[in-house]
Every structure is written in structure tokens, then in C-alpha cells.
Amino acid sequence: MDQEKGTEIQAAKKIKEKADRFRANVSTVMIGKREHHRPDFITVLCEGHVLIEDIPGVGKTLLAKATSRSLDCTFKRIQCTPDLLPSDVVGTQFFNQKSSDFEFRPGPILANIVLVDEINRAMPRTQSCLLESMQEQQVTVDLKTVPLPRPFMLMATQNPIELEGTFPLPEAQLDRFLLKAKIGYPTLEEEAAVLSRFQIANPLDRLQSVMGTAEILDLQALCRRIFIEDSVRNYIVAVNSATRSHKDIKLGTSPRCALALQSASQAMAGIQGRSYVLRMTLKSSPRPSFPIASS
């Protein structure tokens, strides 16, 4: 038992060390947004997907690019427009005259990290082609199933104030995102620092990776070993169940949410250097309507 506990402690230390390196690396590009680097790394550790929603010009795409550059993985970008077709995303079968046979030409979704920029500008038909990849980590083209590379993470951005030419994401798709992040406006000091840092050149061009795919897969396995006591697991289930009967919530969360909360709590614990998950209540309210589970 002591040996197993020691292994868990070492795993948590390793996760924290890698998380600190990641945040420090992204901070060479992003200014004053350290807390917004954490959702991205939590998503990486959980092999989930993140939706970055905020107004134009605050650094949504920059944060996504800095995240991908910090990880030595294959990266593709999909710029969503109303005329984007599903085949433009997942790929297509084409006839090769030399071999006299059909061959699969992969789309940009077949990468480790995929940035879907302005996702709500894509038609519902195109948005729906992302569902299989987000949940099952595979795509189907002409009855042929193609697995996605591991690790796989989809980072999507959208502008909440855009109405013309946009198509709101359906609940089924929103449910497949592990986290939603907002960046917000910088302070006066931070905005002045942005002007200074980007005056001569874009620091993103010089950003180096801090970990590769093998390390990421190892960290993901270590995260799943973070200890969760039965009482904490029951607490997560109670929180999830409370959303289904709360008067201010129209649609309660599904079991997928409980799984996401569990894995995100493990990742947060590892990032903080702990080998176990804690539970806490909202500190901003002395008597919250229902408890919030976290690491």
C-alpha cells in the first residue's frame, strides 16, 4: 500500500512539473492569462475538448496556437465558413488513375490538435460531422472508419456577439466539450505589455515545444491514477444529480458530465501536485444552492 501511495505521489509531482513548464512556455506569448492556460492543459490531460468563447481580438486563436506549439504534436486549423462541407473536414475518397482504385485523402480533422476557428459559422451539417470525432475519436467516410491519432484534442473558438451568418451549437455538441473558457479584457498594465511584446515580432514564431506525444500519453495515464475516495465520487454524482432537479436549470447534466468532472478533478489535483482529489463548496456564497465538486 505504501509503495502504491509513493507511486501516486511521484505521478502527481511529474504532472505538476510538466504543467508548470507548459504554463511558463505559453506565458511567453500570452500576458496576464495564466489562469486561462490551465483549462487548456486540463483538457490535454483528460484528452477532452475545449470551447474558447469570447469577443473578437482578445487572443482566443493565439491561445490555441500557443497551446499547440507548446506540444510537439501534429496541428491543423479549420476556418469555419457557411460554405464549409463535411468532406472539407473529415476527408474524402478519390479515384487514383494510376492505381485504378479509390484512396482516402484525409481531412484536417486527422491531427493531434485541431483548431476549429469560429465554429458557430459552420452549417449544422458540417458541425454534425465533428460529433463522431469528438466522442469516438474516429471518422467515417464512405462506410470506411478511420481512427484519429492519439492524443486528440479539438479546440474551438466562437464569438458570442456574432449573430449574422452564425449557427448556434446544438446541445449534443456542447455536451461533448469538456470545458468552456473565457479570456476577457486585459488590465491597462497587461495591454501595455502586449504592445511592447508584439512591437517588433510575434513571440509565437519563436515558441518551442515542451513535451511530445509520448509524454502527453504518459501524463494522461498518470492522471487516471489520481486517487478518488468513494465519498468524493459520490459527491460528484450528487452534484450531477442536483442539476436535474434545480429550479434554475432547464436541462440537467448527463452521466457524461459526471465522467468529465471526475477526470477534470483528477487533472486539477495533478496540476496542483496532489495525488488525491478533494471536494469543496463555492466560497463566494455562504449557502450555495448546491455544492460544486472540484479538485
Side-chain angles (χ1 to χ4, degrees):
M1 181 65 70
D2 291 340
Q3 184 178 0
E4 183 178 350
K5 185 176 181 180
T7 303
E8 292 173 350
I9 294 174
Q10 290 301 318
K13 288 182 178 179
K14 185 175 182 179
I15 295 171
K16 185 179 186 302
E17 177 188 351
K18 295 294 184 181
D20 291 342
R21 287 181 57 194
F22 174 85
R23 286 201 296 260
N25 199 55
V26 176
S27 292
T28 61
V29 176
M30 303 293 296
I31 295 177
K33 304 295 182 183
R34 293 185 65 86
E35 289 305 313
H36 297 291
H37 310 166
R38 183 175 293 177
D40 285 354
F41 198 66
I42 288 176
T43 307
V44 171
L45 293 177
C46 299
E47 202 167 7
H49 314 290
V50 60
L51 177 64
I52 308 174
E53 181 185 68
D54 219 315
I55 62 173
V58 294
K60 300 186 299 296
T61 302
L62 184 65
L63 176 59
K65 286 186 174 180
T67 299
S68 66
R69 293 279 182 91
S70 298
L71 308 174
D72 188 17
C73 301
T74 57
F75 171 74
K76 296 292 183 181
R77 173 177 174 169
I78 302 171
Q79 182 62 54
C80 291
T81 56
D83 60 348
L84 187 72
L85 299 175
S87 58
D88 297 328
V89 176
V90 301
T92 184
Q93 295 277 5
F94 75 100
F95 185 74
N96 190 329
Q97 293 183 346
K98 291 184 178 180
S99 62
S100 298
D101 197 5
F102 283 93
E103 294 183 6
F104 175 64
R105 178 174 293 167
I109 197 67
L110 275 84
N112 295 120
I113 299 178
V114 180
L115 169 60
V116 183
D117 211 5
E118 296 186 311
I119 187 172
N120 56 335
R121 287 195 176 276
M123 294 278 285
R125 178 185 177 189
T126 304
Q127 289 183 16
S128 65
C129 77
L130 297 170
L131 297 179
E132 183 181 14
S133 60
M134 294 175 70
Q135 182 63 31
E136 302 173 43
Q137 296 185 333
Q138 65 181 31
V139 294
T140 302
V141 181
D142 292 341
L143 303 181
K144 179 180 180 181
T145 300
V146 181
L148 298 177
R150 299 284 303 278
F152 173 72
M153 181 176 73
L154 190 144
M155 304 179 67
T157 68
Q158 71 173 3
N159 300 325
I161 63 172
E162 296 284 352
L163 295 177
E164 248 182 87
T166 61
F167 305 90
L169 273 62
E171 293 295 336
Q173 186 168 1
L174 287 172
D175 195 49
R176 282 167 169 77
F177 284 102
L178 177 75
L179 298 173
K180 177 191 282 189
K182 290 181 178 292
I183 296 178
Y185 288 116
T187 64
L188 295 178
E189 294 78 10
E190 291 169 352
E191 194 161 2
V194 169
L195 299 182
S196 175
R197 182 173 295 185
F198 284 78
Q199 177 182 350
I200 298 177
N202 190 338
L204 185 67
D205 298 334
R206 304 187 301 271
L207 196 65
Q208 301 294 322
S209 63
V210 295
M211 67 187 76
T213 55
E215 290 178 285
I216 295 172
L217 292 173
D218 180 48
L219 292 177
Q220 290 173 349
L222 292 177
C223 262
R224 289 189 283 271
R225 298 177 187 172
I226 297 292
F227 178 73
I228 299 184
E229 193 180 36
D230 288 341
S231 61
V232 177
R233 187 176 288 108
N234 293 336
Y235 186 72
I236 292 175
V237 172
V239 171
N240 207 43
S241 177
T243 65
R244 301 164 189 167
S245 56
H246 196 277
K247 62 183 179 62
D248 295 328
I249 299 178
K250 183 177 180 180
L251 178 64
T253 54
S254 65
R256 181 190 290 149
C257 180
L259 291 170
L261 184 55
Q262 174 176 266
S263 59
S265 298
Q266 288 176 298
M268 180 67 83
I271 288 175
Q272 295 177 348
R274 285 185 285 102
S275 60
Y276 53 90
V277 174
L278 296 174
R279 76 175 196 178
M280 63 176 63
T281 58
L282 283 174
K283 296 180 180 179
S284 59
S285 174
R287 301 186 70 179
S289 299
F290 55 91
I292 300 296
S294 72
S295 61

